[in-house]
Amino acid sequence: MKKAAVIMGSDSDLPIVKKAIDVLKQFGVPVEVRVLSAHRCAAQVSEFASNAEKNGFGVIIAAAGKAAHLAGAIAGQTPLPVIGIPIKASALEGMDALLATVQMPAGVPVATVAIDGAANAGYLAVQILAVGDGALMDKFKAFRAEQTEKVLQADEKIRGEFA
Ligand code: RP5
């Protein structure tokens, strides 16, 4: 199976980013986790991004707050799909990071999840890798069926309580 990379702009992002890592691990996806800043260590970001495909990655998750250029900077230097997580890290409550991450020029997309939406970044990465991996796709389908079943059980319980 291809690996997933999870890159965060600062170790202060980890409490949120951990939710993406947990999802990837839950599905048995091999994951490498790095702290790399688009602004504070741009050369290392370039080194990582430009070698990611040949190093066996299939998808990259990039999380950053404030002027969040990390996901876009990575996306511009790799043909791999990049998922951006805007982190709530400033007085602007994450809107700054959301707009900086999502407003990419045509030809260099970043699939941007919600502010602090790290779990969905993990699920989307699993779905991307699952397209080329039948066993992973089966696991994802089983997860979805289980999720549906939990909602239907909650529905039955609540309907009973308020009948
Ligand atoms: C961004 O600035 C990081 O991704 C983080 O969300 C934010 C604050 O970083 P620190 O000052 O805590 O390192 O680049």
Side-chain angles (χ1 to χ4, degrees):
M1 188 193 302
K2 296 270 191 194
K3 296 181 288 184
V6 178
I7 317 294
M8 66 202 91
S10 168
D11 57 359
S12 64
D13 299 324
L14 184 59
I16 295 298
V17 173
K18 187 158 183 315
K19 292 174 196 163
I21 301 166
D22 289 345
V23 169
L24 291 162
K25 286 188 179 291
Q26 172 194 332
F27 283 91
V29 172
V31 56
E32 286 186 24
V33 184
R34 303 280 306 270
V35 178
L36 291 173
S37 165
H39 307 121
R40 292 166 172 159
C41 58
Q44 286 80 4
V45 168
S46 288
E47 203 272 334
F48 168 80
S50 54
N51 292 308
E53 186 192 9
K54 82 166 190 287
N55 284 340
F57 293 99
V59 64
I60 299 170
I61 294 173
K66 298 184 175 172
H69 299 131
L70 181 61
I74 291 172
Q77 300 179 84
T78 177
L80 298 176
V82 175
I83 302 167
I85 309 172
I87 300 287
K88 181 162 51 172
S90 79
L92 297 182
E93 301 288 342
M95 278 304 293
D96 44 358
L98 172 62
L99 297 178
T101 303
V102 78
Q103 291 286 30
M104 290 296 291
V108 190
V110 168
T112 305
V113 296
I115 296 169
D116 286 355
N120 264 356
Y123 290 119
L124 184 55
V126 168
Q127 289 176 276
I128 289 169
L129 294 175
V131 170
D133 185 318
L136 188 57
M137 186 61 89
D138 287 345
K139 272 193 208 174
F140 189 75
K141 287 178 183 171
F143 156 74
R144 278 285 180 85
E146 198 180 309
Q147 185 174 242
T148 300
E149 186 51 37
K150 278 184 190 159
V151 175
L152 296 181
Q153 281 174 10
D155 176 52
E156 199 174 316
K157 184 167 172 283
I158 294 285
R159 285 172 68 180
E161 278 177 27
F162 292 95

